[in-house]
Amino acid sequence: MQWQKEGKLTIPEFKGFLAVFFNMGLIRKVSFEEYWNKHSPSQSTPWFRCMFSRNRFQNILKFLHLVDTKKLPKRNDPAYKPSQRFKPLLDFVNRKFLRYYNPRRELAVDESLVGTKGKTSMLQYIPSKRSRFGVKFWMLVESVTGYVLQMDVYHGKRFDPTPAGTLQGTNVVINLMKNSHLLGKGFHVFADSFFASLNLANKLLRKRTYLTGTMRTNRPMPQMIKNARPEAGNAVYARQRQIMLCRFRDHNRKKPVTLVSTYYNAIDTLNGKPRIIGAYNTFMGGVDLSDQLIGAYNDQEMQ
């Protein structure tokens, strides 16, 4: 009844709603109600009251849907996906990402966690992330700027099973590159040990795409690399045609790190470190940079 009384949502009103929502990410408060607080002058933000009444804003937030929810598959339907209420928006922004920007050669793939307190089957726990609990997204970004090129939501093992005989990391990287139409164009992907493997390196090479990343020691690799115990500051190299493997131990680390690259050669820099180490450190932080830029608008307390 309240919605019928106030009238339908108009385009200018919807733009105002988005402006309010984005500003809530910049101006942090403990609850929605506090943005309309008149009783504490020191905490008052009159702009929000000028844009909307509190009830109108909350009604828009409550009833606004990106899809016709009556037509969505039910939970027991084989076609059901936990992301189906927001997937059209995700598909839309993915199309726009590449329409307005031509990325540089170096790209980074990693995971990003959108923190939430809501109940969803997509909820993931990643202790290394700031939010720890949230919805996980696979991200493909430009390494230098952090510009997002493609992202895909992870629904969990039940809804996103990895194809038999394929590593999950390999499947994720190939899908991100394929969906962004960047395969076969000479791009260079940087990835951490969850994604990088000889399997991924070979698959990307067949698509004229380079890979550089760290590798877990339980992944298939030549024994001379897996069993190598280099002294501090030293590196051991091995090559399989266009694929180069490196095992390097830094002076301040007890354990060596293993890297794979289809782009770099076995060359050390002037400081004695392998060139591949410097390149990885330079170009792997794209997703972290993207998270940092988005963080300015992210209101964790209200999720």
Side-chain angles (χ1 to χ4, degrees), residues 109-113 126 129 136-139 195 287 291:
V109 171
D110 206 347
E111 60 187 16
S112 181
L113 195 72
I126 304 179
K129 300 295 184 181
K136 183 161 70 175
F137 286 80
W138 306 119
M139 308 287 290
F195 303 94
V287 174
D291 286 345

Side-chain angles (χ1 to χ4, degrees), residues 148-195:
V148 178
L149 300 166
Q150 193 77 192
M151 58 181 178
D152 195 13
V153 62
Y154 178 55
H155 299 97
K157 292 182 179 180
R158 176 186 171 189
F159 296 99
D160 286 343
T162 303
T166 304
L167 294 171
Q168 185 184 35
T170 297
N171 193 49
V172 168
V173 174
I174 294 297
N175 285 337
L176 286 171
M177 292 295 291
K178 184 185 299 182
N179 293 337
S180 58
H181 307 290
L182 296 178
L183 281 175
K185 298 180 180 180
F187 283 97
H188 188 170
V189 176
F190 289 78
D192 65 18
S193 60
F194 176 82
F195 303 94

Side-chain angles (χ1 to χ4, degrees), residues 217 219 221-230 236 247 256 258:
T217 53
R219 296 275 168 85
M221 67 180 70
Q223 291 299 317
M224 68 170 293
I225 292 294
K226 179 174 289 191
N227 299 329
R229 298 291 183 270
V236 176
R247 194 154 171 84
T258 306

